[in-house]
Amino acid sequence: MNVSHMTSHLGEWLRGSGPESDVVVSTRIRLARNLAGEPFTTRATPHQKAEVESRLREVVELLELEQPLRYVSVAAMPAIDRQFLVERQLISRELAGVLEGPRGVAFDEPETVSLMVNEEDHLRLQSMRSGLELEAAWATIDRVDDAIESRVEYAFTDEFGYLTACPTNVGTGMRASVLLHLPALGLAKQIDKAFKALQKINLVVRGLYGEGSRALGDFFQISNQITLGKSEVASLSDIRTVIHEIIKYERMARTTLMREARQNILDKVARALGTLQSATMMTSEETMELLSAVRLGVHLKLVGDLSPLTVNELFIHTQPAHLQKLMGEPLDGEARNAARATYLRNRLRTAGSSS
Amino acid sequence: MKCHYCQNPASVHLTKVVNKTISEVHLCEACAREKNLIPDSPNDLNVPAVLQLAFGQASAPIRPVQMESTCPVCGTPYAHFRAQGRLGCPHDYDVFRPLLEPILERVQNGSIRHVGKLPGRHRRRLTIARRVELESNLKLAIEVEDYEKAAKLRNAIRELGVEHER
């Protein structure tokens, strides 16, 4: 499969719209499932993995969904293409580079559903949406899960629920994550305060690219921790409550900043935009921090002619694999930083600060 | 597995955790009845007798579960799970159960019982079975005056009703 054509559009989750999209970037729900009577992936022989892959591939390709899924073998893919799918959040870093042997992913054209085969669990189903859309994401993945389950038997016991390789996922196997952009709380140094309540109700905060990743550009992922003893519906409701609280704090912080430090915010946004428009070397970390400020500017209507969709496009297109696909050649280190700066300069040539 | 008291196959399995030590007792139905662990009515356990056994006042010695056990299905040793944090196959949940339960309790905030979605093919049967079990646990909780647990069970029963209707 050639992934290059995918640079011409963005996944649905990066549309930049949807409920509460001034603060919530996207919503993601994943389910962990395993086939009954088979060893989990990490203890399976290459032969067993190949069998699981061909069984699930057949099932996935027969699914009758509104958007058909296309299966691609990740094992047979060049490293840069795997990285490309990681950046689009269609596969995990583990599936891309840590795990070995037969494995793959099926996803639909709008990139709202992705099914990873032979991840840590035989099947990881994922549904992605733009904005805060927990119900819609759950409805989608619940339906896909039912459709698959009508064709294969999952490892399940009444007592422990859906059995998973790691006991932290057993039960519902569900992890719902909401990606938030909290620049005003970041500027006001109130992030920790806003997150204090999370631990008490068993929610976890992570950076943008999942487990162990640092929060760059004030992007935070909030997800449920508990999968056993709490239903999917109850978990989603807990998350929703907390997310609405945090959205409220972030909006209050934005209002306060605009009232009390309008010139400072304006200056921060203008400087970020100016740097992006003129720098000749740019790391992906710096890009993330600067685009974070620009994104805030867009939502505070301090930047005239930039849409949230364009800002999202810049975020994803400046990731290493996307950048190399766009440039049409492998680039490393300084060459990549130079190419990134060139790309940003060209894209932002006409954008200006207005106030 | 043989009965703790006689040579008959064991069909009643009790797991207990006292002072962080896990142990198991396996009995055949006849001995369990004789020790008053199961009454003649199939609907409920003899709570005082179970509690007595659980607090170590039963006459028989109880043997600790082997930390070095291995899953007979996938060959994964328990030690491998402790080192890697990943289980070998679905059967491990059964084989290592007494060792896993305290871990589940810790990582899952005290809960070791699935609540939520059921696979379509088992939905009807499991919903009924779960309701029967929850109701019997509720009865037990009320009997030992554990009202906090009883309240949780009532919620679970209510939630089951909601799930069932979808």
Side-chain angles (χ1 to χ4, degrees):
Chain A
M1 177 196 180
N2 184 4
V3 299
S4 298
H5 75 278
M6 290 167 69
T7 53
S8 65
H9 64 277
L10 293 182
E12 200 281 341
W13 67 276
L14 279 164
R15 202 160 33 90
S17 54
E20 328 292 352
S21 60
D22 56 331
V23 180
V24 179
V25 178
S26 62
T27 302
R28 199 147 61 109
I29 300 185
R30 75 110 165 102
L31 299 175
R33 300 289 188 253
N34 287 280
L35 300 181
E38 295 284 340
F40 296 137
T41 310
T42 53
R43 294 291 289 180
T45 64
H47 178 71
Q48 286 168 322
K49 280 193 220 176
E51 259 185 26
V52 166
E53 187 193 31
S54 76
R55 258 173 82 187
L56 286 174
R57 179 180 184 151
E58 201 187 308
V59 168
V60 162
E61 286 178 336
L62 283 172
L63 289 178
E64 283 171 19
L65 305 173
E66 286 151 47
Q67 295 284 344
L69 301 178
R70 181 158 170 213
Y71 188 88
V72 278
S73 162
V74 169
M77 214 176 237
I80 186 163
D81 289 10
R82 291 184 220 162
Q83 178 58 31
F84 183 87
L85 296 183
V86 172
E87 290 169 5
R88 291 180 94 85
Q89 306 223 354
L90 290 167
I91 65 173
S92 63
R93 278 186 300 193
E94 288 67 28
L95 195 81
V98 183
L99 296 157
E100 293 173 341
R103 62 196 194 282
V105 62
F107 55 88
D108 59 346
E109 213 243 309
E111 298 171 40
T112 57
V113 169
S114 100
L115 309 176
M116 283 188 275
V117 172
N118 280 336
E119 222 267 10
E120 172 183 307
D121 297 297
H122 295 147
L123 196 56
R124 286 280 179 100
L125 307 86
Q126 183 179 251
S127 153
M128 295 159 289
R129 295 280 164 149
S130 186
L132 184 63
E133 290 261 41
L134 288 162
E135 294 81 3
W138 168 245
T140 301
I141 211 63
D142 187 28
R143 203 165 53 236
V144 176
D145 183 45
D146 282 345
I148 294 172
E149 198 261 327
S150 70
R151 292 186 166 90
V152 298
E153 186 172 358
Y154 286 148
F156 178 93
T157 65
D158 185 24
E159 190 172 17
F160 294 136
Y162 295 91
L163 305 179
T164 53
C166 183
T168 54
N169 296 318
V170 75
T172 60
M174 184 189 80
R175 191 84 62 214
S177 308
V178 177
L179 180 61
L180 298 169
H181 183 222
L182 307 174
L185 286 173
L187 281 171
K189 310 226 178 300
Q190 288 185 345
I191 292 278
D192 292 342
K193 217 164 106 187
F195 286 165
K196 229 174 205 166
L198 296 180
Q199 287 293 332
K200 277 184 210 148
I201 57 163
N202 297 297
L203 296 178
V204 276
V205 191
R206 286 189 288 241
L208 179 53
Y209 279 95
E211 221 130 330
S213 66
R214 204 162 63 87
L216 272 175
D218 294 311
F219 288 98
F220 298 89
Q221 247 190 116
I222 293 188
S223 40
N224 62 306
Q225 195 171 22
I226 303 299
T227 53
L228 194 60
K230 191 183 262 189
S231 71
E232 295 85 351
V233 174
S235 275
L236 295 176
S237 151
D238 282 356
I239 296 174
R240 191 179 310 112
T241 308
V242 169
I243 297 294
H244 278 298
E245 279 294 294
I246 296 174
I247 291 172
K248 202 173 75 190
Y249 290 143
E250 170 65 19
R251 284 183 186 150
M252 272 160 55
R254 288 183 190 183
T255 309
T256 309
L257 281 174
M258 284 301 275
R259 194 178 56 231
E260 290 169 13
R262 188 186 162 87
Q263 277 308 319
N264 289 341
I265 293 298
L266 200 54
D267 184 59
K268 189 181 163 67
V269 173
R271 277 169 189 271
L273 202 52
T275 307
L276 289 165
Q277 282 169 326
S278 59
T280 58
M281 295 283 277
M282 190 65 78
T283 63
S284 53
E285 289 80 8
E286 189 182 3
T287 307
M288 193 82 113
E289 302 287 355
L290 294 172
L291 284 176
S292 168
V294 172
R295 190 185 190 275
L296 175 66
V298 168
H299 284 288
L300 292 177
K301 304 200 173 13
L302 301 174
V303 184
D305 43 6
L306 263 184
S307 71
L309 177 73
T310 304
V311 177
N312 282 349
E313 196 172 63
L314 298 179
F315 269 116
I316 198 98
H317 281 177
T318 52
Q319 300 287 321
H322 274 76
L323 192 64
Q324 293 175 73
K325 287 284 170 196
L326 285 166
M327 297 299 151
E329 57 179 337
L331 302 161
D332 53 2
E334 297 203 336
R336 200 190 296 165
N337 290 343
R340 183 177 291 114
T342 305
Y343 174 80
L344 287 163
R345 273 203 316 274
N346 289 337
R347 287 295 307 270
L348 290 168
R349 195 177 294 139
T350 55
S353 230
S354 72
S355 53
Chain B
M1 199 170 280
K2 295 218 165 108
C3 172
H4 195 76
Y5 297 96
C6 65
Q7 291 302 300
N8 290 332
S11 62
V12 175
H13 310 279
L14 293 169
T15 305
K16 59 170 208 154
V17 184
V18 177
N19 296 331
K20 293 183 184 161
T21 312
I22 308 151
S23 44
E24 279 188 337
V25 198
H26 307 280
L27 310 99
C28 69
E29 205 178 331
C31 288
R33 256 180 228 295
E34 191 194 315
K35 306 275 169 210
N36 262 331
L37 290 171
I38 37 177
D40 292 329
S41 152
N43 291 327
D44 39 25
L45 286 165
N46 180 338
V47 177
V50 173
L51 287 177
Q52 196 190 32
L53 186 74
F55 289 111
Q57 287 167 23
S59 52
I62 287 158
R63 100 198 123 80
V65 168
Q66 301 282 302
M67 286 290 278
E68 53 267 26
S69 55
T70 291
C71 173
V73 177
C74 66
T76 304
Y78 182 72
H80 176 88
F81 163 66
R82 286 318 293 255
Q84 305 291 321
R86 301 292 182 273
L87 293 159
C89 78
H91 204 69
D92 288 10
Y93 279 94
D94 198 30
V95 179
F96 304 139
R97 178 203 199 88
L99 299 159
L100 278 176
E101 280 182 348
I103 296 170
L104 286 173
E105 267 190 66
R106 199 167 61 241
V107 300
Q108 298 284 0
N109 200 30
S111 179
I112 53 163
R113 185 72 213 222
H114 174 56
V115 178
K117 185 169 180 176
L118 302 169
R121 65 183 66 203
H122 307 304
R123 206 164 282 159
R124 204 182 137 71
R125 179 178 61 79
L126 290 178
T127 306
I128 296 166
R130 192 185 284 183
R131 181 187 293 275
V132 168
E133 194 192 326
L134 287 172
E135 279 169 357
S136 115
N137 286 348
L138 174 63
K139 204 172 155 193
L140 275 176
I142 293 168
E143 232 166 279
V144 299
E145 301 186 1
D146 187 345
Y147 297 117
E148 199 183 327
K149 190 176 171 190
K152 274 189 190 155
L153 287 164
R154 271 194 208 97
N155 279 339
I157 292 169
R158 197 173 313 131
E159 227 173 85
L160 200 60
V162 175
E163 293 280 310
H164 189 47
E165 280 156 25
R166 27 182 243 138

